[in-house]
Amino acid sequence: MESADAGAGEKAACLSAAQRRAEIRRRKLLMNSEDRMNRIVGYTKNESEINAGTLLRPAEPRFHLDLDRTEPWSSASSSSRPSPFLPEASGLVSRSHGATPERGGSPMPDCSEPLAGFLEDNIGSIQQRPRGERASDELSGSPRPGLQKYLSRFDDAMKLRGQLANEKPAQDGGGSDTEEFDPFRIFRLTGSILLAVFVRVFVCTFLSIFAPFLTLELAYMGLSKYFPKVEKKAQTTVLTAALLLSGIPAEVINRSMDTYRRMSDVFADLCVYFFTFILSHEFLLLIGSETP
Amino acid sequence: MASGYAWFLVLGSVFLCNLMKTLLPTISSCLSKMVQKDAEQESEMRAEIQEMKKEQASISMMDEFARYARLERKINKMTDKLKTHVKSRTAQQAKMKWVVNIVFYILQAALMISLIWKYYSDPVTVVPSKWIAPVERLVAFPTGVAGGVGITCWLVVCNKVVSLGLHAFCIGPGQSEGEFLPLLQAVILAEQL
């Protein structure tokens, strides 16, 4: 009876030692897989942090050793999870490793129970893992978002390249001047011409010629909503493509282009107005010089 | 002081430059046609390939395979020759276009510089300075004459107006052609059916 008990105890001790060795081997493999994954993704940013972390906290285990795990993973991961590629089994390994010292003297039947318990705990922790993993990713700046960002930028670049290639023949056919004569634009130019003539004939002796022009532009701003809005196709030029790829949001670019378009419209109105004014002035001088 | 028609001279120069700019593709294609001497050879090759293809279509591959294969080889050889010819012609056209553009831009720059040199200190026209307040200094740059319109301001204004005008005139006929061509194609298709 006693010999049987002693044999069982030795077996348990051997098993625990063997188990320990197996766990150590498994941990080594898992650690390597993590390093491998990090190298594939190009995760070298936090290597120094990991080293610093391990140096600063040598006592704190890299793998979480919480046996009675009920809280979510994130609280543990925030403290000791620099890499997102910590496998779930490491929890199991750490737990079983952590468990064995505490229950070092327990007989064999008891060892199986904690393992089953660890499995159940791990299932719960795995389910809770995504939240924790996300938090760890956010906190530690994992390579996955960086990789995704790079891939999304690459896709954008390929799409823009295709768009540029498609729009280039259209632009070449239309010429470099991309101004379009929609009804409102024609109305503006006609209004500027008529106002210039009117100002030259009646108004210019009393005040500056630019005052009526400014009034006209203010009126145009109010009248623009009464005209049908022409949907101008957003042209992808090399400049807009470069701005997009450099990280400037498309909305900002569109707004800037819209502002630039408005300013160019006002400039065109001013040029037409001034030109017509000078022309009418010279014409009146010519008539005045010719009349006896 | 300003000469009588300086403003008109500048306007005319700008108009001429912009007109030449719009006609540049036509000029370069005309010049390249004049320079190319073997343009007929290409059309002959195309006609020959068409005839050989017709002949090949009339031959049964099963019955006269050797003749079919010989024709096929001839067609391929002629097509390759035509491709090389077209490539060289296209390269020559691109070169001609490039040369024409360079010459034009040099001439335009020379004309603009000469105009600015001539009217650097003379305004192109003079108006009472209170009319163009408060930007009379900007408008008069670089002459410094009160109420004068400087060459730079007038060049910018003329350039903008002329480009707008030419664009409006160019768009009109272009639009009508754009509507006409699909109609013509539809008519041709209907006749064929």
Side-chain angles (χ1 to χ4, degrees):
Chain A
M1 211 45 190
E2 285 175 358
S3 61
D5 287 339
E10 277 173 13
K11 264 189 186 174
C14 289
L15 271 169
S16 66
Q19 211 178 22
R20 219 180 293 139
R21 282 198 296 275
E23 278 161 16
I24 289 167
R25 244 182 281 122
R26 209 179 301 140
R27 200 187 293 181
K28 266 191 188 170
L29 282 169
L30 290 169
M31 271 177 67
N32 284 341
S33 75
E34 185 196 332
D35 288 340
R36 243 181 279 128
M37 208 55 182
N38 288 340
R39 259 183 272 131
I40 287 166
V41 173
Y43 187 76
T44 53
K45 196 169 58 166
N46 285 344
E47 270 179 10
S48 56
E49 288 176 20
I50 292 165
N51 293 335
T54 50
L55 282 169
L56 282 169
R57 300 186 293 249
E60 197 179 322
R62 196 173 168 189
F63 303 99
H64 199 71
L65 299 176
D66 200 5
L67 294 171
D68 299 322
R69 191 172 184 76
T70 50
E71 62 210 9
W73 190 261
S74 55
S75 55
S77 63
S78 58
S79 58
S80 62
R81 193 180 292 274
S83 163
F85 292 108
L86 269 173
E88 287 79 5
S90 66
L92 172 67
V93 169
S94 61
R95 277 208 205 112
S96 51
H97 179 70
T100 26
E102 281 188 31
R103 306 188 192 200
S106 63
M108 210 179 110
D110 291 336
C111 284
S112 63
E113 284 169 22
L115 278 174
F118 294 153
L119 278 170
E120 284 169 5
D121 287 341
N122 270 326
I123 287 163
S125 69
I126 287 163
Q127 282 167 359
Q128 289 164 1
R129 195 193 155 83
R131 247 181 287 150
E133 195 175 0
R134 255 180 274 138
S136 68
D137 284 348
E138 282 165 15
L139 286 166
S140 61
S142 67
R144 203 176 289 159
L147 177 67
Q148 283 173 359
K149 200 178 173 184
Y150 169 75
L151 288 172
S152 67
R153 286 271 180 91
F154 185 71
D155 287 336
D156 289 340
M158 296 308 287
K159 275 182 215 164
L160 285 167
R161 186 182 157 219
Q163 274 182 10
L164 279 170
N166 289 336
E167 285 184 14
K168 201 186 168 188
Q171 279 179 359
D172 286 343
S176 58
D177 198 354
T178 55
E179 292 169 6
E180 293 166 6
F181 285 99
D182 53 329
F184 186 55
R185 194 171 167 78
I186 296 169
F187 174 72
R188 286 173 78 117
L189 294 173
T190 316
S192 302
I193 291 167
L194 293 172
L195 181 70
V197 174
F198 177 80
V199 163
R200 175 59 191 89
V201 175
F202 300 111
V203 179
C204 63
T205 48
F206 304 109
L207 75 164
S208 167
I209 64 171
F210 296 111
F213 175 76
L214 288 170
T215 314
L216 182 71
E217 288 301 314
L218 285 169
Y220 284 155
M221 276 183 221
L223 287 171
S224 62
K225 60 186 175 189
Y226 296 110
F227 280 82
K229 210 168 184 181
V230 175
E231 284 293 325
K232 288 190 181 174
K233 185 185 162 193
Q235 283 192 328
T236 311
T237 59
V238 176
L239 176 66
T240 53
L243 289 170
L244 276 166
L245 288 171
S246 63
I248 297 172
E251 203 185 310
V252 170
I253 294 172
N254 285 338
R255 237 180 277 157
S256 309
M257 297 299 279
D258 197 38
T259 309
Y260 175 74
R261 215 176 286 126
R262 283 177 204 269
M263 281 167 60
S264 67
D265 285 345
V266 172
F267 180 70
D269 292 342
L270 178 63
C271 288
V272 167
Y273 176 82
F274 189 69
F275 179 83
T276 314
F277 180 83
I278 297 291
L279 211 64
S280 50
H281 173 68
E282 292 295 329
F283 184 67
L284 285 172
L285 282 177
L286 188 72
I287 292 173
S289 64
E290 281 184 359
T291 50
Chain B
M1 293 307 287
S3 54
Y5 298 100
W7 63 274
F8 187 73
L9 177 70
V10 175
L11 176 62
S13 308
V14 170
F15 179 76
L16 201 69
C17 288
N18 278 284
L19 190 66
M20 291 295 287
K21 204 173 181 178
T22 53
L23 295 173
L24 270 180
T26 317
I27 292 167
S28 61
S29 64
C30 287
L31 281 171
S32 60
K33 272 179 193 169
M34 279 165 58
V35 168
Q36 271 175 347
K37 289 163 190 172
D38 51 357
E40 289 177 5
Q41 197 183 3
E42 193 178 318
S43 54
E44 280 174 14
M45 275 196 278
R46 282 184 203 274
E48 209 175 319
I49 289 168
Q50 283 290 328
E51 279 176 23
M52 281 196 283
K53 278 188 175 172
K54 275 184 194 169
E55 196 185 333
Q56 195 186 39
S58 64
I59 296 167
S60 164
M61 197 170 88
M62 303 295 190
D63 298 337
E64 294 175 275
F65 179 74
R67 195 178 156 201
Y68 189 93
R70 223 178 294 130
L71 262 174
E72 181 83 24
R73 278 198 294 274
K74 275 185 189 172
I75 288 168
N76 289 341
K77 194 177 169 187
M78 193 63 79
T79 311
D80 290 339
K81 203 174 162 188
L82 179 68
K83 274 185 191 170
T84 319
H85 199 268
V86 166
K87 225 187 251 184
S88 69
R89 182 173 60 83
T90 317
Q92 204 175 15
Q93 269 181 346
K95 208 174 172 183
M96 181 60 70
K97 190 179 171 185
W98 184 75
V99 166
V100 167
N101 278 345
I102 295 278
V103 167
F104 168 73
Y105 284 122
I106 288 171
L107 288 173
Q108 189 188 23
L111 179 64
M112 292 298 133
I113 288 168
S114 60
L115 280 171
I116 292 169
W117 187 270
K118 186 175 166 56
Y119 295 107
Y120 188 81
S121 53
D122 291 336
V124 291
T125 187
V126 182
V127 297
S129 62
K130 68 170 185 179
W131 287 8
I132 50 174
V135 293
E136 60 263 28
R137 279 177 179 256
L138 186 68
V139 171
F141 181 83
T143 62
V145 173
V149 178
I151 183 74
T152 47
C153 174
W154 189 239
L155 272 173
V156 167
V157 167
C158 287
N159 212 16
K160 187 72 183 172
V161 171
V162 167
S163 64
L164 276 172
L166 282 175
H167 188 65
F169 279 113
C170 289
I171 271 185
Q175 270 181 349
S176 63
E177 277 173 14
E179 289 163 7
F180 181 64
L181 278 170
L183 264 172
L184 181 64
Q185 284 171 356
V187 165
I188 291 167
L189 269 172
E191 281 180 3
Q192 284 174 354
L193 290 167

Short mmCIF file of all heavy atoms in Angstrom, two decimals, chain A residues 36-82:
data_model
loop_
_atom_site.label_atom_id
_atom_site.label_comp_id
_atom_site.label_asym_id
_atom_site.label_seq_id
_atom_site.Cartn_x
_atom_site.Cartn_y
_atom_site.Cartn_z
N ARG A 36 9.00 34.78 -35.23
CA ARG A 36 8.93 34.56 -36.67
C ARG A 36 7.85 35.45 -37.28
O ARG A 36 8.05 36.11 -38.29
CB ARG A 36 8.59 33.09 -36.95
CG ARG A 36 9.69 32.37 -37.70
CD ARG A 36 9.32 30.95 -38.00
NE ARG A 36 9.53 30.07 -36.86
CZ ARG A 36 8.61 29.24 -36.35
NH1 ARG A 36 7.44 29.15 -36.89
NH2 ARG A 36 8.89 28.49 -35.31
N MET A 37 6.70 35.46 -36.63
CA MET A 37 5.59 36.27 -37.14
C MET A 37 5.95 37.74 -37.14
O MET A 37 5.64 38.48 -38.07
CB MET A 37 4.38 35.99 -36.24
CG MET A 37 3.05 36.17 -36.92
SD MET A 37 2.95 35.19 -38.39
CE MET A 37 1.39 35.63 -38.97
N ASN A 38 6.63 38.15 -36.07
CA ASN A 38 7.02 39.55 -36.00
C ASN A 38 7.99 39.91 -37.11
O ASN A 38 7.91 40.98 -37.70
CB ASN A 38 7.69 39.85 -34.64
CG ASN A 38 6.68 39.85 -33.53
OD1 ASN A 38 5.48 40.00 -33.77
ND2 ASN A 38 7.13 39.66 -32.31
N ARG A 39 8.89 39.00 -37.39
CA ARG A 39 9.85 39.26 -38.47
C ARG A 39 9.17 39.32 -39.81
O ARG A 39 9.53 40.15 -40.67
CB ARG A 39 10.93 38.18 -38.48
CG ARG A 39 12.23 38.64 -37.81
CD ARG A 39 13.32 37.61 -37.88
NE ARG A 39 13.26 36.69 -36.74
CZ ARG A 39 13.29 35.37 -36.87
NH1 ARG A 39 13.40 34.82 -38.03
NH2 ARG A 39 13.22 34.59 -35.81
N ILE A 40 8.18 38.45 -40.03
CA ILE A 40 7.45 38.46 -41.31
C ILE A 40 6.74 39.79 -41.49
O ILE A 40 6.78 40.40 -42.55
CB ILE A 40 6.41 37.30 -41.35
CG1 ILE A 40 7.15 35.96 -41.50
CG2 ILE A 40 5.42 37.48 -42.49
CD1 ILE A 40 6.26 34.77 -41.20
N VAL A 41 6.11 40.23 -40.43
CA VAL A 41 5.33 41.46 -40.56
C VAL A 41 6.22 42.69 -40.52
O VAL A 41 5.82 43.80 -40.84
CB VAL A 41 4.27 41.50 -39.43
CG1 VAL A 41 3.54 42.80 -39.37
CG2 VAL A 41 3.30 40.37 -39.61
N GLY A 42 7.46 42.47 -40.07
CA GLY A 42 8.38 43.61 -40.00
C GLY A 42 8.24 44.33 -38.69
O GLY A 42 8.40 45.53 -38.58
N TYR A 43 7.90 43.59 -37.69
CA TYR A 43 7.67 44.18 -36.39
C TYR A 43 8.98 44.27 -35.65
O TYR A 43 9.39 43.38 -34.96
CB TYR A 43 6.67 43.30 -35.64
CG TYR A 43 6.20 43.86 -34.35
CD1 TYR A 43 5.27 44.89 -34.32
CD2 TYR A 43 6.68 43.36 -33.15
CE1 TYR A 43 4.84 45.40 -33.12
CE2 TYR A 43 6.24 43.87 -31.95
CZ TYR A 43 5.32 44.89 -31.94
OH TYR A 43 4.86 45.39 -30.76
N THR A 44 9.63 45.40 -35.81
CA THR A 44 10.88 45.58 -35.08
C THR A 44 10.81 46.79 -34.16
O THR A 44 11.68 47.08 -33.41
CB THR A 44 12.03 45.83 -36.07
OG1 THR A 44 11.66 46.91 -36.94
CG2 THR A 44 12.31 44.60 -36.87
N LYS A 45 9.71 47.51 -34.25
CA LYS A 45 9.60 48.76 -33.49
C LYS A 45 9.65 48.52 -32.02
O LYS A 45 10.32 49.22 -31.26
CB LYS A 45 8.27 49.42 -33.87
CG LYS A 45 8.21 50.86 -33.48
CD LYS A 45 7.00 51.56 -34.10
CE LYS A 45 5.72 50.91 -33.72
NZ LYS A 45 4.57 51.79 -34.05
N ASN A 46 8.94 47.50 -31.57
CA ASN A 46 8.82 47.31 -30.13
C ASN A 46 9.77 46.28 -29.60
O ASN A 46 9.64 45.85 -28.47
CB ASN A 46 7.39 46.91 -29.78
CG ASN A 46 6.48 48.11 -29.89
OD1 ASN A 46 6.96 49.24 -29.92
ND2 ASN A 46 5.20 47.88 -29.98
N GLU A 47 10.72 45.93 -30.39
CA GLU A 47 11.68 44.94 -29.88
C GLU A 47 12.47 45.52 -28.73
O GLU A 47 12.66 44.88 -27.70
CB GLU A 47 12.64 44.54 -31.01
CG GLU A 47 12.11 43.37 -31.79
CD GLU A 47 13.05 42.98 -32.90
OE1 GLU A 47 14.18 43.50 -32.96
OE2 GLU A 47 12.66 42.16 -33.71
N SER A 48 12.87 46.74 -28.88
CA SER A 48 13.60 47.38 -27.79
C SER A 48 12.71 47.52 -26.57
O SER A 48 13.15 47.35 -25.43
CB SER A 48 14.11 48.74 -28.22
OG SER A 48 13.02 49.51 -28.68
N GLU A 49 11.45 47.83 -26.82
CA GLU A 49 10.51 47.94 -25.70
C GLU A 49 10.38 46.61 -24.99
O GLU A 49 10.29 46.56 -23.77
CB GLU A 49 9.15 48.39 -26.22
CG GLU A 49 9.15 49.85 -26.64
CD GLU A 49 7.81 50.22 -27.24
OE1 GLU A 49 6.84 49.51 -26.98
OE2 GLU A 49 7.77 51.18 -27.98
N ILE A 50 10.32 45.57 -25.82
CA ILE A 50 10.20 44.23 -25.22
C ILE A 50 11.42 43.96 -24.35
O ILE A 50 11.30 43.53 -23.20
CB ILE A 50 10.09 43.15 -26.32
CG1 ILE A 50 8.76 43.30 -27.05
CG2 ILE A 50 10.19 41.76 -25.70
CD1 ILE A 50 8.72 42.55 -28.33
N ASN A 51 12.59 44.27 -24.95
CA ASN A 51 13.83 44.03 -24.20
C ASN A 51 13.87 44.86 -22.94
O ASN A 51 14.19 44.37 -21.86
CB ASN A 51 15.04 44.37 -25.08
CG ASN A 51 15.16 43.41 -26.24
OD1 ASN A 51 14.69 42.28 -26.16
ND2 ASN A 51 15.75 43.86 -27.32
N ALA A 52 13.50 46.12 -23.12
CA ALA A 52 13.48 47.00 -21.95
C ALA A 52 12.49 46.50 -20.92
O ALA A 52 12.77 46.48 -19.72
CB ALA A 52 13.10 48.42 -22.39
N GLY A 53 11.36 46.07 -21.42
CA GLY A 53 10.33 45.55 -20.52
C GLY A 53 10.81 44.34 -19.76
O GLY A 53 10.62 44.22 -18.55
N THR A 54 11.44 43.46 -20.49
CA THR A 54 11.91 42.24 -19.83
C THR A 54 13.04 42.56 -18.87
O THR A 54 13.16 41.93 -17.82
CB THR A 54 12.41 41.23 -20.87
OG1 THR A 54 13.31 41.88 -21.77
CG2 THR A 54 11.26 40.65 -21.66
N LEU A 55 13.85 43.55 -19.22
CA LEU A 55 14.95 43.92 -18.33
C LEU A 55 14.42 44.58 -17.07
O LEU A 55 14.86 44.30 -15.96
CB LEU A 55 15.91 44.87 -19.05
CG LEU A 55 16.87 44.21 -20.02
CD1 LEU A 55 17.58 45.24 -20.87
CD2 LEU A 55 17.89 43.36 -19.29
N LEU A 56 13.46 45.47 -17.27
CA LEU A 56 12.94 46.20 -16.13
C LEU A 56 12.14 45.30 -15.20
O LEU A 56 12.15 45.47 -14.00
CB LEU A 56 12.06 47.35 -16.62
CG LEU A 56 12.81 48.58 -17.13
CD1 LEU A 56 11.84 49.52 -17.82
CD2 LEU A 56 13.52 49.30 -16.02
N ARG A 57 11.40 44.41 -15.84
CA ARG A 57 10.52 43.57 -15.03
C ARG A 57 10.91 42.12 -15.21
O ARG A 57 10.19 41.37 -15.83
CB ARG A 57 9.09 43.76 -15.47
CG ARG A 57 8.61 45.19 -15.33
CD ARG A 57 7.15 45.21 -15.67
NE ARG A 57 6.96 44.91 -17.09
CZ ARG A 57 6.55 45.78 -17.98
NH1 ARG A 57 6.32 47.02 -17.62
NH2 ARG A 57 6.36 45.44 -19.23
N PRO A 58 12.00 41.77 -14.68
CA PRO A 58 12.41 40.37 -14.87
C PRO A 58 11.53 39.42 -14.10
O PRO A 58 11.28 38.30 -14.50
CB PRO A 58 13.84 40.35 -14.33
CG PRO A 58 13.93 41.52 -13.40
CD PRO A 58 12.94 42.53 -13.89
N ALA A 59 11.04 39.87 -12.94
CA ALA A 59 10.22 38.98 -12.14
C ALA A 59 8.86 38.77 -12.79
O ALA A 59 8.27 37.71 -12.69
CB ALA A 59 10.07 39.55 -10.74
N GLU A 60 8.37 39.81 -13.48
CA GLU A 60 7.04 39.70 -14.07
C GLU A 60 7.11 38.78 -15.28
O GLU A 60 7.86 39.00 -16.21
CB GLU A 60 6.57 41.07 -14.53
CG GLU A 60 5.08 41.10 -14.76
CD GLU A 60 4.66 42.48 -15.18
OE1 GLU A 60 5.21 43.44 -14.63
OE2 GLU A 60 3.82 42.57 -16.07
N PRO A 61 6.30 37.76 -15.27
CA PRO A 61 6.40 36.81 -16.37
C PRO A 61 5.85 37.40 -17.64
O PRO A 61 4.96 38.23 -17.64
CB PRO A 61 5.55 35.62 -15.91
CG PRO A 61 4.62 36.22 -14.93
CD PRO A 61 5.28 37.37 -14.31
N ARG A 62 6.42 36.94 -18.76
CA ARG A 62 5.97 37.42 -20.05
C ARG A 62 4.59 36.89 -20.36
O ARG A 62 3.77 37.53 -20.99
CB ARG A 62 6.96 36.96 -21.10
CG ARG A 62 6.75 37.73 -22.37
CD ARG A 62 7.79 37.41 -23.32
NE ARG A 62 7.40 37.94 -24.61
CZ ARG A 62 8.02 37.70 -25.71
NH1 ARG A 62 9.07 36.93 -25.69
NH2 ARG A 62 7.64 38.22 -26.85
N PHE A 63 4.33 35.71 -19.94
CA PHE A 63 3.03 35.10 -20.14
C PHE A 63 2.25 35.18 -18.85
O PHE A 63 2.78 35.01 -17.79
CB PHE A 63 3.19 33.64 -20.56
CG PHE A 63 4.03 33.52 -21.79
CD1 PHE A 63 5.37 33.19 -21.69
CD2 PHE A 63 3.49 33.78 -23.03
CE1 PHE A 63 6.14 33.09 -22.82
CE2 PHE A 63 4.27 33.68 -24.16
CZ PHE A 63 5.60 33.33 -24.06
N HIS A 64 1.03 35.48 -19.04
CA HIS A 64 0.20 35.74 -17.88
C HIS A 64 -0.01 34.47 -17.09
O HIS A 64 -0.31 33.43 -17.62
CB HIS A 64 -1.12 36.31 -18.35
CG HIS A 64 -1.82 37.02 -17.26
ND1 HIS A 64 -1.36 38.23 -16.77
CD2 HIS A 64 -2.87 36.68 -16.53
CE1 HIS A 64 -2.15 38.62 -15.79
NE2 HIS A 64 -3.08 37.70 -15.62
N LEU A 65 0.11 34.59 -15.71
CA LEU A 65 0.07 33.40 -14.87
C LEU A 65 -1.16 33.38 -13.98
O LEU A 65 -1.19 32.74 -12.96
CB LEU A 65 1.32 33.33 -13.99
CG LEU A 65 2.65 33.26 -14.73
CD1 LEU A 65 3.79 33.31 -13.77
CD2 LEU A 65 2.73 31.99 -15.56
N ASP A 66 -2.17 34.16 -14.39
CA ASP A 66 -3.35 34.25 -13.54
C ASP A 66 -4.12 32.95 -13.64
O ASP A 66 -4.61 32.57 -14.70
CB ASP A 66 -4.21 35.42 -14.01
CG ASP A 66 -5.14 35.86 -12.92
OD1 ASP A 66 -5.04 35.30 -11.81
OD2 ASP A 66 -5.94 36.74 -13.19
N LEU A 67 -4.26 32.27 -12.51
CA LEU A 67 -4.95 31.01 -12.52
C LEU A 67 -6.45 31.22 -12.49
O LEU A 67 -7.19 30.63 -13.24
CB LEU A 67 -4.54 30.17 -11.30
CG LEU A 67 -3.07 29.70 -11.30
CD1 LEU A 67 -2.73 29.09 -9.97
CD2 LEU A 67 -2.82 28.71 -12.41
N ASP A 68 -6.88 32.04 -11.53
CA ASP A 68 -8.31 32.29 -11.39
C ASP A 68 -8.69 33.44 -12.29
O ASP A 68 -8.87 34.57 -11.85
CB ASP A 68 -8.64 32.61 -9.93
CG ASP A 68 -8.28 31.47 -9.02
OD1 ASP A 68 -8.49 30.31 -9.45
OD2 ASP A 68 -7.78 31.73 -7.93
N ARG A 69 -8.79 33.14 -13.57
CA ARG A 69 -8.97 34.18 -14.56
C ARG A 69 -10.46 34.40 -14.79
O ARG A 69 -11.16 33.60 -15.36
CB ARG A 69 -8.32 33.79 -15.87
CG ARG A 69 -8.28 34.96 -16.79
CD ARG A 69 -7.47 34.65 -18.02
NE ARG A 69 -7.39 35.83 -18.82
CZ ARG A 69 -6.61 36.87 -18.57
NH1 ARG A 69 -5.81 36.85 -17.52
NH2 ARG A 69 -6.60 37.93 -19.32
N THR A 70 -10.95 35.53 -14.32
CA THR A 70 -12.33 35.89 -14.63
C THR A 70 -12.39 37.24 -15.33
O THR A 70 -13.30 37.56 -16.04
CB THR A 70 -13.17 35.97 -13.34
OG1 THR A 70 -12.45 36.80 -12.41
CG2 THR A 70 -13.37 34.59 -12.75
N GLU A 71 -11.39 38.06 -15.08
CA GLU A 71 -11.40 39.39 -15.69
C GLU A 71 -10.96 39.28 -17.15
O GLU A 71 -10.37 38.29 -17.56
CB GLU A 71 -10.45 40.32 -14.94
CG GLU A 71 -8.99 39.87 -14.98
CD GLU A 71 -8.26 40.30 -13.73
OE1 GLU A 71 -8.91 40.78 -12.80
OE2 GLU A 71 -7.05 40.14 -13.68
N PRO A 72 -11.26 40.29 -17.92
CA PRO A 72 -10.90 40.23 -19.34
C PRO A 72 -9.40 40.26 -19.55
O PRO A 72 -8.64 40.62 -18.67
CB PRO A 72 -11.53 41.49 -19.94
CG PRO A 72 -12.13 42.22 -18.84
CD PRO A 72 -12.05 41.44 -17.60
N TRP A 73 -9.01 39.87 -20.72
CA TRP A 73 -7.60 39.72 -21.05
C TRP A 73 -6.87 41.05 -21.05
O TRP A 73 -5.70 41.14 -20.84
CB TRP A 73 -7.51 39.06 -22.44
CG TRP A 73 -6.17 38.63 -22.83
CD1 TRP A 73 -5.30 39.27 -23.63
CD2 TRP A 73 -5.52 37.43 -22.43
NE1 TRP A 73 -4.16 38.54 -23.77
CE2 TRP A 73 -4.25 37.41 -23.05
CE3 TRP A 73 -5.88 36.35 -21.59
CZ2 TRP A 73 -3.35 36.37 -22.86
CZ3 TRP A 73 -4.99 35.33 -21.42
CH2 TRP A 73 -3.73 35.35 -22.06
N SER A 74 -7.61 42.12 -21.37
CA SER A 74 -6.95 43.40 -21.64
C SER A 74 -6.15 43.88 -20.45
O SER A 74 -5.09 44.46 -20.59
CB SER A 74 -7.98 44.45 -22.02
OG SER A 74 -8.96 44.53 -20.99
N SER A 75 -6.66 43.70 -19.27
CA SER A 75 -5.93 44.21 -18.11
C SER A 75 -4.57 43.55 -18.00
O SER A 75 -3.59 44.17 -17.64
CB SER A 75 -6.73 43.97 -16.83
OG SER A 75 -7.03 42.60 -16.73
N ALA A 76 -4.52 42.26 -18.31
CA ALA A 76 -3.23 41.57 -18.28
C ALA A 76 -2.40 41.98 -19.47
O ALA A 76 -1.21 42.24 -19.36
CB ALA A 76 -3.47 40.07 -18.28
N SER A 77 -3.06 42.05 -20.60
CA SER A 77 -2.29 42.31 -21.83
C SER A 77 -1.70 43.70 -21.82
O SER A 77 -0.65 43.94 -22.37
CB SER A 77 -3.18 42.13 -23.05
OG SER A 77 -4.20 43.08 -23.02
N SER A 78 -2.36 44.63 -21.22
CA SER A 78 -1.83 45.99 -21.24
C SER A 78 -0.52 46.06 -20.49
O SER A 78 0.33 46.88 -20.77
CB SER A 78 -2.83 46.96 -20.63
OG SER A 78 -3.12 46.56 -19.31
N SER A 79 -0.37 45.22 -19.51
CA SER A 79 0.85 45.30 -18.73
C SER A 79 1.97 44.47 -19.33
O SER A 79 3.12 44.84 -19.25
CB SER A 79 0.59 44.84 -17.30
OG SER A 79 0.09 43.52 -17.33
N SER A 80 1.64 43.35 -19.94
CA SER A 80 2.72 42.46 -20.34
C SER A 80 2.53 41.92 -21.74
O SER A 80 2.81 40.76 -21.99
CB SER A 80 2.81 41.30 -19.35
OG SER A 80 1.59 40.57 -19.38
N ARG A 81 2.03 42.71 -22.67
CA ARG A 81 1.83 42.17 -24.00
C ARG A 81 2.32 43.17 -25.06
O ARG A 81 1.57 43.95 -25.59
CB ARG A 81 0.36 41.87 -24.23
CG ARG A 81 0.11 41.03 -25.44
CD ARG A 81 -1.37 40.76 -25.60
NE ARG A 81 -1.86 39.90 -24.53
CZ ARG A 81 -1.83 38.58 -24.56
NH1 ARG A 81 -1.33 37.95 -25.58
NH2 ARG A 81 -2.29 37.87 -23.56
N PRO A 82 3.57 43.12 -25.34
CA PRO A 82 4.08 44.03 -26.35
C PRO A 82 3.76 43.58 -27.76
O PRO A 82 3.63 44.36 -28.66
CB PRO A 82 5.59 44.02 -26.12
CG PRO A 82 5.85 42.73 -25.45
CD PRO A 82 4.62 42.34 -24.71
#
